[in-house]
Coordinates of all heavy atoms in Angstrom, one line a residue:
I192 N -8.2 -37.3 -17.4 CA -7.6 -35.9 -17.3 C -8.3 -35.2 -16.1 O -7.6 -34.5 -15.3 CB -7.6 -35.2 -18.6 CG1 -6.7 -35.8 -19.6 CG2 -7.3 -33.7 -18.4 CD1 -6.8 -35.2 -21.0
F193 N -9.6 -35.2 -16.1 CA -10.3 -34.5 -15.0 C -10.0 -35.1 -13.7 O -9.7 -34.3 -12.7 CB -11.8 -34.6 -15.3 CG -12.7 -34.0 -14.2 CD1 -12.8 -32.6 -14.1 CD2 -13.3 -34.8 -13.3 CE1 -13.5 -32.0 -13.1 CE2 -14.1 -34.2 -12.3 CZ -14.2 -32.8 -12.2
L194 N -9.9 -36.4 -13.6 CA -9.6 -37.1 -12.3 C -8.3 -36.7 -11.8 O -8.1 -36.4 -10.7 CB -9.8 -38.6 -12.5 CG -9.5 -39.4 -11.3 CD1 -10.5 -39.1 -10.2 CD2 -9.5 -40.9 -11.6
Y195 N -7.3 -36.7 -12.7 CA -5.9 -36.4 -12.3 C -5.8 -34.9 -12.0 O -5.0 -34.6 -11.1 CB -4.9 -36.8 -13.5 CG -4.9 -38.3 -13.8 CD1 -4.6 -38.7 -15.1 CD2 -5.2 -39.2 -12.9 CE1 -4.6 -40.0 -15.4 CE2 -5.2 -40.6 -13.2 CZ -4.9 -41.0 -14.5 OH -4.9 -42.3 -14.8
A196 N -6.5 -34.1 -12.7 CA -6.5 -32.7 -12.3 C -7.0 -32.4 -10.9 O -6.5 -31.6 -10.1 CB -7.3 -31.9 -13.3
V197 N -8.1 -33.1 -10.6 CA -8.7 -33.0 -9.2 C -7.7 -33.5 -8.2 O -7.5 -32.9 -7.1 CB -10.0 -33.9 -9.1 CG1 -10.4 -34.0 -7.7 CG2 -11.1 -33.2 -10.0
G198 N -7.0 -34.6 -8.5 CA -5.9 -35.1 -7.6 C -4.8 -34.1 -7.4 O -4.3 -34.0 -6.3
I199 N -4.4 -33.4 -8.4 CA -3.4 -32.4 -8.3 C -3.8 -31.3 -7.4 O -3.1 -30.9 -6.5 CB -3.0 -31.8 -9.7 CG1 -2.3 -32.9 -10.5 CG2 -2.1 -30.6 -9.5 CD1 -2.0 -32.5 -12.0
F200 N -5.1 -30.8 -7.5 CA -5.6 -29.7 -6.7 C -5.8 -30.2 -5.2 O -5.5 -29.4 -4.3 CB -6.8 -29.1 -7.3 CG -6.6 -28.2 -8.4 CD1 -7.0 -28.6 -9.7 CD2 -6.0 -27.0 -8.2 CE1 -6.8 -27.8 -10.8 CE2 -5.8 -26.1 -9.3 CZ -6.2 -26.5 -10.6
A201 N -6.2 -31.4 -5.1 CA -6.3 -32.0 -3.7 C -5.0 -32.1 -3.0 O -4.8 -31.8 -1.8 CB -7.0 -33.4 -3.8
G202 N -4.0 -32.5 -3.8 CA -2.6 -32.5 -3.2 C -2.1 -31.1 -2.8 O -1.5 -31.0 -1.8
I203 N -2.4 -30.1 -3.7 CA -2.0 -28.8 -3.3 C -2.7 -28.3 -2.0 O -2.0 -27.7 -1.2 CB -2.4 -27.8 -4.5 CG1 -1.5 -28.1 -5.7 CG2 -2.2 -26.3 -4.0 CD1 -1.9 -27.3 -6.9
G204 N -3.9 -28.7 -1.8 CA -4.6 -28.3 -0.6 C -4.0 -28.9 0.6 O -3.8 -28.2 1.6
L205 N -3.7 -30.2 0.5 CA -3.0 -30.8 1.7 C -1.6 -30.3 1.9 O -1.2 -30.1 3.1 CB -2.9 -32.3 1.4 CG -4.2 -33.2 1.5 CD1 -4.0 -34.6 1.1 CD2 -4.7 -33.1 3.0
L206 N -0.9 -30.0 0.8 CA 0.4 -29.4 1.0 C 0.4 -28.0 1.7 O 1.2 -27.7 2.5 CB 1.1 -29.3 -0.4 CG 1.5 -30.6 -1.0 CD1 1.8 -30.4 -2.5 CD2 2.7 -31.2 -0.3
S207 N -0.6 -27.2 1.3 CA -0.7 -25.9 1.9 C -1.0 -25.9 3.3 O -0.3 -25.2 4.2 CB -1.8 -25.1 1.1 OG -1.5 -24.9 -0.2
F208 N -1.9 -26.8 3.7 CA -2.3 -26.9 5.1 C -1.1 -27.5 5.9 O -0.8 -27.1 7.0 CB -3.6 -27.8 5.3 CG -4.0 -27.9 6.7 CD1 -4.4 -26.8 7.4 CD2 -4.1 -29.2 7.3 CE1 -4.9 -26.9 8.7 CE2 -4.5 -29.3 8.6 CZ -4.9 -28.2 9.3
G209 N -0.5 -28.6 5.3 CA 0.6 -29.2 6.0 C 1.8 -28.3 6.2 O 2.4 -28.4 7.2
A210 N 2.0 -27.5 5.2 CA 3.2 -26.5 5.3 C 2.9 -25.5 6.5 O 3.9 -25.2 7.2 CB 3.3 -25.8 4.0
N211 N 1.7 -25.1 6.6 CA 1.4 -24.1 7.7 C 1.6 -24.8 9.0 O 2.2 -24.2 9.9 CB 0.0 -23.6 7.5 CG -0.3 -22.5 8.5 OD1 0.3 -21.4 8.4 ND2 -1.3 -22.6 9.3
V212 N 1.2 -26.0 9.2 CA 1.3 -26.7 10.4 C 2.8 -27.0 10.7 O 3.3 -26.8 11.8 CB 0.5 -28.0 10.4 CG1 0.8 -28.9 11.6 CG2 -1.0 -27.8 10.3
L213 N 3.5 -27.4 9.7 CA 5.0 -27.7 9.8 C 5.8 -26.5 10.2 O 6.6 -26.6 11.2 CB 5.5 -28.3 8.5 CG 7.0 -28.7 8.5 CD1 7.2 -29.9 9.4 CD2 7.5 -28.9 7.1
V214 N 5.6 -25.4 9.6 CA 6.3 -24.2 9.9 C 6.0 -23.7 11.3 O 7.0 -23.4 12.1 CB 6.0 -23.1 8.9 CG1 6.6 -21.7 9.4 CG2 6.5 -23.4 7.5
E215 N 4.8 -23.8 11.7 CA 4.4 -23.4 13.1 C 5.1 -24.2 14.1 O 5.7 -23.7 15.1 CB 2.9 -23.4 13.2 CG 2.4 -22.9 14.6 CD 0.9 -23.0 14.8 OE1 0.2 -23.2 13.8 OE2 0.4 -22.8 15.9
G216 N 5.0 -25.6 13.9 CA 5.6 -26.5 14.9 C 7.1 -26.3 14.9 O 7.7 -26.3 16.0
A217 N 7.8 -26.2 13.8 CA 9.2 -26.1 13.7 C 9.7 -24.8 14.4 O 10.7 -24.8 15.1 CB 9.7 -26.1 12.2
V218 N 9.1 -23.7 14.1 CA 9.5 -22.4 14.7 C 9.3 -22.4 16.2 O 10.2 -22.0 17.0 CB 8.7 -21.2 14.1 CG1 9.0 -20.0 14.8 CG2 9.1 -21.1 12.6
N219 N 8.2 -23.0 16.7 CA 8.0 -23.1 18.1 C 9.1 -24.0 18.8 O 9.5 -23.6 19.9 CB 6.6 -23.7 18.4 CG 5.5 -22.7 18.1 OD1 5.7 -21.5 18.0 ND2 4.3 -23.2 17.9
I220 N 9.4 -25.1 18.2 CA 10.5 -25.9 18.7 C 11.8 -25.2 18.8 O 12.6 -25.3 19.7 CB 10.6 -27.2 17.9 CG1 9.4 -28.1 18.1 CG2 11.9 -28.0 18.2 CD1 9.3 -29.3 17.2
A221 N 12.1 -24.4 17.7 CA 13.3 -23.6 17.6 C 13.4 -22.7 18.8 O 14.4 -22.5 19.5 CB 13.4 -22.9 16.3
R222 N 12.3 -22.0 19.1 CA 12.3 -21.0 20.2 C 12.4 -21.7 21.5 O 13.1 -21.2 22.4 CB 11.0 -20.2 20.1 CG 10.9 -19.3 18.9 CD 9.6 -18.7 18.7 NE 9.6 -17.8 17.6 CZ 8.5 -17.3 17.0 NH1 7.3 -17.7 17.4 NH2 8.6 -16.5 16.0
H223 N 11.8 -22.9 21.7 CA 11.9 -23.6 23.0 C 13.3 -24.1 23.2 O 13.8 -24.0 24.4 CB 11.0 -24.9 22.9 CG 9.6 -24.6 23.2 ND1 9.1 -24.0 24.4 CD2 8.4 -24.8 22.5 CE1 7.8 -23.8 24.4 NE2 7.4 -24.3 23.2
L224 N 14.0 -24.6 22.2 CA 15.3 -25.1 22.3 C 16.5 -24.1 22.1 O 17.6 -24.4 22.3 CB 15.5 -26.3 21.3 CG 14.6 -27.5 21.5 CD1 14.9 -28.5 20.4 CD2 14.7 -28.1 22.9
G225 N 16.1 -22.9 21.8 CA 17.1 -21.9 21.5 C 17.9 -22.1 20.3 O 19.0 -21.6 20.1
I226 N 17.3 -22.9 19.3 CA 18.0 -23.1 18.0 C 17.6 -22.0 17.1 O 16.4 -21.6 17.0 CB 17.6 -24.5 17.5 CG1 18.0 -25.6 18.5 CG2 18.2 -24.8 16.1 CD1 17.5 -27.0 18.1
S227 N 18.5 -21.6 16.3 CA 18.2 -20.5 15.3 C 17.2 -21.0 14.3 O 17.2 -22.1 13.9 CB 19.5 -20.0 14.7 OG 20.0 -21.0 13.8
E228 N 16.4 -20.0 13.8 CA 15.5 -20.3 12.7 C 16.2 -20.8 11.5 O 15.7 -21.6 10.7 CB 14.6 -19.1 12.4 CG 13.6 -18.8 13.6 CD 12.8 -17.5 13.4 OE1 13.0 -16.9 12.3 OE2 12.0 -17.2 14.2
R229 N 17.4 -20.3 11.2 CA 18.2 -20.7 10.1 C 18.5 -22.2 10.1 O 18.3 -22.9 9.1 CB 19.5 -19.9 10.0 CG 20.6 -20.5 9.1 CD 21.9 -19.7 9.1 NE 23.0 -20.4 8.6 CZ 23.9 -21.1 9.3 NH1 23.8 -21.1 10.6 NH2 24.8 -21.8 8.7
V230 N 18.9 -22.7 11.2 CA 19.2 -24.1 11.4 C 18.0 -25.0 11.2 O 18.0 -26.0 10.6 CB 20.0 -24.4 12.7 CG1 20.1 -25.9 12.9 CG2 21.3 -23.7 12.7
I231 N 16.9 -24.5 11.8 CA 15.6 -25.2 11.7 C 15.2 -25.3 10.3 O 14.7 -26.4 9.8 CB 14.5 -24.5 12.6 CG1 14.8 -24.7 14.1 CG2 13.1 -25.1 12.2 CD1 14.8 -26.2 14.5
G232 N 15.3 -24.2 9.5 CA 14.9 -24.2 8.1 C 15.8 -25.1 7.3 O 15.4 -25.8 6.4
L233 N 17.1 -25.1 7.6 CA 18.1 -25.9 6.9 C 18.0 -27.4 7.2 O 18.4 -28.3 6.3 CB 19.5 -25.5 7.2 CG 20.0 -24.2 6.6 CD1 21.3 -23.7 7.3 CD2 20.2 -24.3 5.1
T234 N 17.4 -27.8 8.3 CA 17.3 -29.2 8.7 C 15.9 -29.8 8.8 O 15.4 -30.5 7.9 CB 18.1 -29.5 10.0 OG1 17.6 -28.6 11.0 CG2 19.6 -29.2 9.8
M235 N 15.2 -29.4 9.9 CA 13.9 -30.0 10.2 C 12.9 -29.7 9.1 O 12.2 -30.6 8.6 CB 13.4 -29.5 11.5 CG 14.3 -29.9 12.7 SD 13.8 -29.2 14.3 CE 12.3 -30.2 14.6
V236 N 12.8 -28.4 8.7 CA 11.8 -28.1 7.7 C 12.2 -28.6 6.3 O 11.4 -29.2 5.5 CB 11.6 -26.6 7.6 CG1 10.6 -26.2 6.5 CG2 11.0 -26.1 8.9
A237 N 13.6 -28.5 6.0 CA 14.1 -29.0 4.7 C 13.9 -30.5 4.5 O 13.4 -30.9 3.5 CB 15.6 -28.6 4.6
V238 N 14.2 -31.2 5.6 CA 14.0 -32.7 5.5 C 12.6 -33.1 5.4 O 12.2 -33.9 4.6 CB 14.7 -33.4 6.6 CG1 14.3 -34.9 6.6 CG2 16.2 -33.3 6.6
G239 N 11.7 -32.4 6.2 CA 10.3 -32.6 6.1 C 9.7 -32.4 4.7 O 8.9 -33.2 4.2
T240 N 10.1 -31.3 4.1 CA 9.6 -31.0 2.8 C 10.3 -31.8 1.7 O 9.8 -31.8 0.5 CB 9.7 -29.5 2.5 OG1 11.1 -29.1 2.6 CG2 8.8 -28.7 3.4
S241 N 11.4 -32.5 2.0 CA 12.1 -33.3 1.0 C 11.5 -34.8 1.1 O 12.0 -35.6 0.2 CB 13.6 -33.3 1.3 OG 14.1 -32.1 0.9
L242 N 10.6 -35.1 2.0 CA 10.1 -36.4 2.1 C 9.5 -36.9 0.8 O 9.6 -38.1 0.4 CB 9.2 -36.6 3.2 CG 9.8 -36.6 4.6 CD1 8.7 -36.7 5.7 CD2 10.7 -37.8 4.7
P243 N 8.7 -36.1 0.1 CA 8.1 -36.6 -1.2 C 9.2 -37.0 -2.2 O 9.0 -38.0 -2.9 CB 7.3 -35.4 -1.7 CG 6.9 -34.6 -0.4 CD 8.1 -34.8 0.5
E244 N 10.3 -36.2 -2.3 CA 11.4 -36.7 -3.2 C 11.9 -38.0 -2.7 O 12.2 -38.9 -3.6 CB 12.5 -35.6 -3.2 CG 12.2 -34.4 -4.0 CD 11.6 -33.3 -3.2 OE1 11.1 -33.5 -2.1 OE2 11.6 -32.1 -3.7

Side-chain angles (χ1 to χ4, degrees):
I192 289 173
F193 176 76
L194 179 64
Y195 298 151
V197 170
I199 291 172
F200 283 109
I203 291 173
L205 285 174
L206 287 167
S207 300
F208 183 62
N211 189 60
V212 173
L213 180 71
V214 170
E215 182 179 350
V218 172
N219 288 340
I220 289 173
R222 289 169 180 165
H223 280 302
L224 300 179
I226 300 172
S227 70
E228 291 175 359
R229 165 181 163 260
V230 173
I231 290 295
L233 286 166
T234 55
M235 297 174 73
V236 177
V238 171
T240 55
S241 290
L242 284 178
E244 282 92 345

